[in-house]
């Protein structure tokens, strides 16, 4: 009788767990659909409606046909493709060359490359772009001022054109390419190069016929990601390209929505659809290029790891490292620091002062912008890494439909630039009457900033969870712990270092995001990126530079405090005899 009662109680408990689990998974799928999938479906709906969803306009293909008959659409596509091909080639070639130098050669200074590339990732694209505008604009750029002092009568350089746009975007995305390919170059077996040399192949021939083909997946993967990032770029094309009448996908979409009266939503969504198709085509092309090919270079045999001797040519590569460091970090940072200390940017005779910093910190408008950015960074960064950890855990541990659907939903932000995401979410809240109150709210802007940062935080989450063996969770369940207890007490505790790193990096990306606030910032609530952009448009470059320097210094201070806390924590664990913590991941995209 007792056994029967126990069996019935266990059966009911099992049914309750099954119902509860099923309900939770249904809520999870519904949340993914609402946050990721549904807003993007507005792009398709918007392409067949010439107006806002709240206008109750019937569906039609007329606007879509008109969009593709407009010569501007095709010129925009052409500019975007040119930029992707040129910038993508330079970024991947430069990043791959530096990755090879750091991993496989004896070039002096090669150990500085990885820290240098990581630091460049901490600098928001808008900061980098504005720094170069202060250096190279034709009117009062620091380089042109220096050239005039030497007797030049014409501007030495004009950053606001095709040349400047290609230079900035190529330099800006080179660190991504480097970090994506560094591991492949480190892991390859260098005895293959030695075998080629014994067979009579020279260093150049070996590099192109042995070294590069052996890291083919890393190169194509980096090329695809860089192409997507260039397609998505908004900051540099908006600040530099538009001045030279160079429109790409993101800037032309913004032009249709904000610069036209009435807004041409159909054309904006038509370009968005083309962009999605191009991104999908890039991923398909990568799979086609790599099909049926083997890239195995590491086996059970011993692999060589000795650096390759390059002779006197190694100093040429050292010079390239120095030039890259100057162009991508030192010069823009110097321009920002100097400009922030000038009462009037470009006027050297006025001397240097901290008045711009005092104004930024005491003026109610600017101080509220700094406070808003801080809150957005903290809340948005936490939300981004939390969602990334949850979805990455589901993708790594589940199978079947749940895993596939989660992977698909989280992949969506990769395919869309920030301006398109903002437009899609704006239409989504206007399409559903119950959500229309969110339009023009800080909540909507924060949500889209979180979604736009998911691709960055997902990389950190996936790297951390990949190092956790499922055996740890199985041991917890065997000991009687439930799924939620295993997740909180085992998984979460082990990934805390990576969680904090992802939180910080996501917060930094959010603080420098310009595309989303440009479209969704509520009146009177402007983050630093938008405030600095407006200051630059109004000619107040010194104030804009001071704003960004305050954010950059604050970010570096937080990073220093975090590093010091981890170091002190490690020492305390060592004194108490506990096993030292092993870092689960690095801060890489």
């Amino acid at each position: 009788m007792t056994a029967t009662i126990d069996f019935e109680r266990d059966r009911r408990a099992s049914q309750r767990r099954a119902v509860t689990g099923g309900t939770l998974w249904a809520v999870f799928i519904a949340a993914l659909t609402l946050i990721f999938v549904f807003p993007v479906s507005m792009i398709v709906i918007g392409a067949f409606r010439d107006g806002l969803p709240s206008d109750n306009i019937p569906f039609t293909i007329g606007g879509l046909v008109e969009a593709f008959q407009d010569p501007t659409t095709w010129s925009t596509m052409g500019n975007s493709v040119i930029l992707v091909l040129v910038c993508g080639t330079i970024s991947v070639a430069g990043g791959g060359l530096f990755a090879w130098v750091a991993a496989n050669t004896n070039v002096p200074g090669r150990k500085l490359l990885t820290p240098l590339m990581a630091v460049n990732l901490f600098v928001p694209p808008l900061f980098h772009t504005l720094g170069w505008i202060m250096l190279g604009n034709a009117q009062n750029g620091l380089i042109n001022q220096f050239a005039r002092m030497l007797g030049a009568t014409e501007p030495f350089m004009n950053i606001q054109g095709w040349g400047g746009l290609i230079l900035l975007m190529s330099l800006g995305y080179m660190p991504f390419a480097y970090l994506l390919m560094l591991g492949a170059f480190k892991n390859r077996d260098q005895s293959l190069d030695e075998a080629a040399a014994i067979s009579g192949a020279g260093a150049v021939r070996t590099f192109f016929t042995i070294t590069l083909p052996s890291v083919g997946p890393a190169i194509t993967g980096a090329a695809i990601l860089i192409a997507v990032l260039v397609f998505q770029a908004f900051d540099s094309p908006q600040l530099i390209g538009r001045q030279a009448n160079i429109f790409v996908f993101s800037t032309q979409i913004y032009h249709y929505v904000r610069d036209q009266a009435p807004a041409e939503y159909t054309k904006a969504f038509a370009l968005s659809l083309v962009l999605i198709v191009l991104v999908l085509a890039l991923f398909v092309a990568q799979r086609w290029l790599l099909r049926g090919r083997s890239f195995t270079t590491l086996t059970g045999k011993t692999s060589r790891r000795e650096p390759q001797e390059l002779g006197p040519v190694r100093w040429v590569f050292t010079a390239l490292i120095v030039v890259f460091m100057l162009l991508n970090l030192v010069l823009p940072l110097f321009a920002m620091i100097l400009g922030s200390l000038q009462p009037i940017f470009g006027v050297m005779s006025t001397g240097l002062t901290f008045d711009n910093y005092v104004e930024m910190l005491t003026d109610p408008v600017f101080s509220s912008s700094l406070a808003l950015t801080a809150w957005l960074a903290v809340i948005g960064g936490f939300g981004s890494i939390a969602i990334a950890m949850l979805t990455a855990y589901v993708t790594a541990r589940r199978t079947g439909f749940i895993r596939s659907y989660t992977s698909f939903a989280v992949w969506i932000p990769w395919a869309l630039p920030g301006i398109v995401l903002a437009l899609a979410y704006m239409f989504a809240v206007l399409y559903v009457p119950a959500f229309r109150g969110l339009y023009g709210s800080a909540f909507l802007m924060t949500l889209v900033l979180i979604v736009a940062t998911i691709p960055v935080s997902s990389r950190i989450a996936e790297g951390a969870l990949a190092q956790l063996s499922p055996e740890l969770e199985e041991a917890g369940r065997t000991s009687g712990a439930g799924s939620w207890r295993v997740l909180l007490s085992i998984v979460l505790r082990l990934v805390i270092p990576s969680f904090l790193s992802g939180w910080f990096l996501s917060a930094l990306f959010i603080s420098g995001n310009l595309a989303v606030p440009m479209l969704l910032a509520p009146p009177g609530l402007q983050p630093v990126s938008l405030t600095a952009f407006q200051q630059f448009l109004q000619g107040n470059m010194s104030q804009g530079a001071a704003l960004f320097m305050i954010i950059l210094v604050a970010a570096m201070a937080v990073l220093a405090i975090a590093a010091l806390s981890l170091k002190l924590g490690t020492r305390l664990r060592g004194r108490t005899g506990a096993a030292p913590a092993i870092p689960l991941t690095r801060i890489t995209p």
Side-chain angles (χ1 to χ4, degrees), residues 260-276:
Q260 301 291 97
E264 299 182 1
Y265 292 107
T266 302
K267 291 183 178 180
F269 281 118
L271 281 179
S272 302
L273 284 176
V274 173
L275 179 57
I276 294 174

Side-chain angles (χ1 to χ4, degrees), residues 134 142 294 363-364 402:
M134 299 175 76
L142 297 179
S294 175
D363 188 287
I402 292 177

